[in-house]
Amino acid sequence: MQIISLLTDFGLKDVYVAEMKAIILQICPEAKIIDISHNIEKFNVRMGAFMLACAAPYFPEGSIHIGVVDPGVGTERRAIIVETQRSWFVGPDNGLLMLAAEKEGIKHVYEIRNKAYMRFQVSHTFHGRDIFAPAAAYLARGIAVSEFGPEIIHYTTPEYAKAKLEENQVKGEILHIDDFGNIITNISISELEKLGVSEGDVISLIIGKDKFQVKLCSAYNEVSKGEALAIIGSHGFLEFSVNLGNAARQFKAEVGKCLKISRKC
Amino acid sequence: MQIISLLTDFGLKDVYVAEMKAIILQICPEAKIIDISHNIEKFNVRMGAFMLACAAPYFPEGSIHIGVVDPGVGTERRAIIVETQRSWFVGPDNGLLMLAAEKEGIKHVYEIRNKAYMRFQVSHTFHGRDIFAPAAAYLARGIAVSEFGPEIIHYTTPEYAKAKLEENQVKGEILHIDDFGNIITNISISELEKLGVSEGDVISLIIGKDKFQVKLCSAYNEVSKGEALAIIGSHGFLEFSVNLGNAARQFKAEVGKCLKISRKC
Amino acid sequence: MQIISLLTDFGLKDVYVAEMKAIILQICPEAKIIDISHNIEKFNVRMGAFMLACAAPYFPEGSIHIGVVDPGVGTERRAIIVETQRSWFVGPDNGLLMLAAEKEGIKHVYEIRNKAYMRFQVSHTFHGRDIFAPAAAYLARGIAVSEFGPEIIHYTTPEYAKAKLEENQVKGEILHIDDFGNIITNISISELEKLGVSEGDVISLIIGKDKFQVKLCSAYNEVSKGEALAIIGSHGFLEFSVNLGNAARQFKAEVGKCLKISRKC
């Protein structure tokens, strides 16, 4: 059995995702196709890269991940396959795949050029169906990755601000706001440790011009309904939440916005 | 082949559902995963329980249903497996699973405590991935349910108002409004029979301060386009609909609102 | 392995789609179920027919497609199975299936009448679960199509305006607006050729009272960010798009609206 996962910004109204799945099953009928998300914000490569990097580690070894957030479709941007220590990533060379791939350890990157493994007619607007889906399906069928095209050394990586420790505070940014309104930052446990913050402590948070004070909890309902808290989320990043509420609305948070945290004395 | 169904309030934007599926396939690669819904209103355990109870009876015997609408995640609320006469339910002990389970006949309820069947690291915010998905997958692989933890006798059941017959009327409530705007009530055929209402009769309906008169039909287009009707829905409950329209909008209906019906003389 | 695809207007909030899948797996556990779309505009048979006709050609031969956009459910409208040169279509006799089926070449159309292949109790409101899903699943299990009921000769076909060449312009209509805001018209490459328009030329476009001039490109980013373009889309129709933007919003486009194009001199 071979797992092929899909992450796109195609949405769930149109038939684009179904066409990709149909092509995969034509080539590799025994593939097990799993949707990661099709509701990545349109053209937002950074958000797609973040989501793929969150989800990929939970998949079995040898899984093949297709990512299609592809504002440059039809241009000279390359189509690539990334071989990592534990899986495969197929998609455009625009950084989308690389956050996830780097986490797993990149072994080789190949450009997809061999037309034998594309649809006979490649549209200018839908490489997900005409290039990436067939490539993943042939890979699942056991075609050697070197058959798809030449190895390449220079490829695009996504740029993310790393959280920075400055005196007694950490500067970070908002990576993602989930469907519950939880605010996921790029600040990890190690930065909190450097600040000397541990569970039960109160964190001072500055977003834009607003200041908040929230307790670092280990469960949402350590605070009352409607009250804000900080918590280490399920991906190991610092998150801000509201118990049974929506933190993004309460904190006027937006993806990409900067924030500063410090330990309340 | 083993079917595992998923019902959550996670939405379809984020990667949470995909992570649960990935974990299931790591443990039990041959599982067939079916989505029931991921668009349960956030934290609405009652709505989740209703939806699960609607869908579960249509699944094959021996299916395993995971339910995650879990406002108490990370607290002392227990994680449970319910064994019924025909299937299994895995999720939090907050009532979510019990409407469906009671319909099928509960045999035993077990608390999930054995860490051997959880992820090696259990987050405080995502038991769907770290406890419920692994438990369901190990169950699918044939691990005996008694291996997961001790049997428990006291568990949470959801509270629903039962429809009440009072003189010549039935008092009920709105259980659900579907994506078409159909209003699903908790009034069943047997209550209609007690009122002496049968197909072709006109029902007087009171919602809040508004009164309506609608015919009990057997198909939507027994009334003209845009006109309201009553109908026995596909789950055996009385529903109010508008032919080719949206009844919830027309009747200003909301989930949980009370209503009264009687036979028009 | 047998593929069964699903296209409905049920949305993804409710459990209706899951109930169909559960019924299919009860009857044919080895079926591979693929969602085409469940977000067809409610009751919009024409839109469903267009989407099904887009997606079906990419599926393997022998696939079974269930379509349920069914405003006449519960009435005398017939339930049918269409056998084409390469696949099967199951759904209501309201035109939904016929655009896709005609593309593949219709061999026979059968009415579904045999109650042995329906659920034991057929609701008046949900034939997707009670008639179409079982029929598709029994078909997948190898039941001969003639077993389901009599062959019929007269059936409903959807009416679409064909694009018309008039002197130096083509009159067409908007078939679909996708989730990116791309405007998909019913004008195909052959009509463009008759106008003498080829890549790099500028097209004059009239929608309602507004006039636009856009270049026929082969990739979205042949124009600057936010600028409009024309392009042959992935299904072979003329589309209007905005590079990294939303054309439908910019052109105030709506499905069904007429448009005229000509070659800019």
Side-chain angles (χ1 to χ4, degrees), chain A residues 7-180:
Chain A
L7 174 139
T8 76
D9 62 351
F10 294 163
L12 290 170
K13 188 180 91 173
D14 296 296
V15 299
Y16 303 131
V17 171
E19 291 178 8
M20 289 180 65
K21 292 180 181 177
I23 293 295
I24 289 170
L25 294 176
Q26 288 237 25
I27 296 167
C28 183
E30 61 278 13
K32 200 146 196 166
I33 303 172
I34 302 289
D35 298 304
I36 292 186
S37 175
H38 299 292
N39 291 324
I40 304 299
E41 197 189 327
K42 304 276 181 240
F43 314 125
N44 190 335
V45 174
R46 254 172 69 124
M47 181 183 169
F50 171 72
M51 300 282 248
L52 189 57
C54 284
Y58 297 99
F59 281 77
E61 265 191 50
S63 292
I64 298 169
H65 304 288
I66 304 177
V68 194
V69 181
D70 194 11
V73 64
T75 67
E76 291 300 302
R77 74 97 189 86
R78 295 173 297 189
I80 56 172
I81 301 177
V82 186
E83 184 184 358
T84 74
Q85 298 294 344
R86 65 185 302 276
S87 55
W88 309 86
F89 294 86
V90 180
D93 176 24
N94 63 8
L96 176 67
L97 312 175
M98 288 308 173
L99 194 66
E102 279 175 352
K103 259 170 115 175
E104 299 190 352
I106 296 172
K107 283 170 74 176
H108 304 282
V109 181
Y110 298 87
E111 185 179 352
I112 305 171
R113 277 214 212 143
N114 189 340
K115 288 192 197 308
Y117 302 121
M118 302 180 186
R119 286 196 73 235
F120 59 98
Q121 209 180 351
V122 173
S123 77
H124 294 295
T125 59
F126 193 5
H127 288 185
R129 180 191 67 197
D130 298 341
I131 296 179
F132 305 133
Y138 282 113
L139 205 55
R141 263 181 53 179
I143 302 296
V145 63
S146 55
E147 290 291 307
F148 290 84
E151 185 166 355
I152 61 175
I153 294 173
H154 300 290
Y155 45 78
T156 309
T157 48
E159 277 179 37
Y160 283 89
K162 291 228 163 140
K164 278 182 209 156
L165 187 69
E166 293 181 350
E167 293 183 31
N168 293 321
Q169 64 177 15
V170 172
K171 284 176 77 170
E173 79 171 82
I174 299 175
L175 287 185
H176 180 60
I177 291 169
D178 78 7
D179 208 42
F180 289 86

Side-chain angles (χ1 to χ4, degrees), chain A residues 9-16 18-19 22 25-26 29-31 42-43 71 73-75 119 124-126 129, chain C residues 1 3 12 32 34-37 39 51 54 58-60 176-180 218-221 231 234-235 244:
Chain A
D9 62 351
F10 294 163
L12 290 170
K13 188 180 91 173
D14 296 296
V15 299
Y16 303 131
E19 291 178 8
L25 294 176
Q26 288 237 25
E30 61 278 13
K42 304 276 181 240
F43 314 125
V73 64
T75 67
R119 286 196 73 235
H124 294 295
T125 59
F126 193 5
R129 180 191 67 197
Chain C
M1 191 213 47
I3 291 176
L12 290 171
K32 200 146 193 165
I34 301 289
D35 298 304
I36 292 185
S37 176
N39 293 323
M51 300 282 248
C54 284
Y58 298 98
F59 280 78
H176 180 59
I177 291 168
D178 78 7
D179 208 43
F180 289 86
S218 68
Y220 295 125
N221 70 353
I231 197 163
S234 59
H235 298 103
L244 301 176

Side-chain angles (χ1 to χ4, degrees), chain C residues 47-98:
Chain C
M47 180 183 171
F50 171 73
M51 300 282 248
L52 190 57
C54 284
Y58 298 98
F59 280 78
E61 265 193 49
S63 293
I64 298 168
H65 304 288
I66 304 177
V68 194
V69 179
D70 193 11
V73 62
T75 68
E76 291 302 301
R77 74 96 190 86
R78 293 174 298 189
I80 57 172
I81 300 177
V82 186
E83 184 184 358
T84 75
Q85 299 294 344
R86 63 186 303 277
S87 54
W88 309 84
F89 294 86
V90 180
D93 175 25
N94 63 7
L96 176 67
L97 312 175
M98 288 308 175

